Amino acid sequence: MIDSHCHLDHCEAPDGEVVERAVAAGVRRLATVGIDDASIERALAAAYAHEEVFAIVGRHPHEAEGLDDAGIEAIERAAGDERVRAIGETGLDYFRDLSPREDQRRAFEAQIDLARRLELPVVIHTREAEEHTFAILRDRAEGMTVVLHCFSAPGRLDECVERGYVCSFAGNVTYPKAIALQTAAREVPDELLMVETDSPYLSPQPVRGKPNEPANVVQTARHLAELRGVDYEELERAVEATAARVFRW
Ligand SMILES: [Zn+2]
């Protein structure tokens, strides 16, 4: 199994323990996200310390305020490391609105452009900003590998499939009331399907309310397999193949 998106540096336990529990649960590859300069350093350190771990580097929309050329250059330098396999997470968050929307947009566009230049996938965070997020992607990300982290746009599934956006499902797909999301999870083609924990956030139903960790991706994957009417091994093969293509690991 894989975890396409986690934040090891936000998890309480040391990376080593968290990774060990993930491996024991059958997780063979994890992508941890560095969301600002300090976090990027921690993501890279984790990727060097553990062969199962790779890094995604960028500036989160919450931290987008004031991201300038020097900030983008710092991401570019980090992205030159061979343990880095994607740019992000970037996008728009109008739910928490922690950075001015104009700064979020600028940081988003700059990171798409950077990912294009470096020929890396771009990992998207979008919350209550679907319309603007998808418009910017249509505009700037044509032909790129786009990953919709914590997929939450079931109403736009047709567009996602048409454009080849990879849909990465997090623990919230297991919640009893997530009917629209579950319908989307049944319909995503294998080659666009990934699964993630977004640890330490968004714990799946069986451990809901507790801090999440990459080992729990197995529970979300099991739920996805049930939704799709396939056995766990078949689901695992599909998401592993998608992740291997996206992250080249
Ligand atoms: Zn995240």
Side-chain angles (χ1 to χ4, degrees), residues 145-198:
T145 300
V146 171
V147 177
L148 300 171
H149 132 67
C150 187
F151 181 75
S152 58
R156 291 178 189 263
L157 184 63
D158 288 348
E159 179 177 354
C160 295
V161 172
E162 202 182 296
R163 295 184 172 267
Y165 298 162
V166 177
C167 305
S168 183
F169 287 86
N172 54 337
V173 74
T174 67
Y175 299 166
K177 288 182 181 159
I179 305 300
L181 204 51
Q182 289 163 359
T183 303
R186 285 190 190 95
E187 292 171 5
V188 175
D190 277 359
E191 63 275 14
L192 298 180
L193 182 71
M194 285 205 301
V195 62
E196 64 174 66
T197 56
D198 200 21

Side-chain angles (χ1 to χ4, degrees), residues 5-7 33 35 60 89 125 149 196 198 201:
H5 190 113
C6 62
H7 297 268
V33 188
I35 61 163
H60 195 286
E89 53 188 296
H125 170 114
H149 132 67
E196 64 174 66
D198 200 21
Y201 314 106

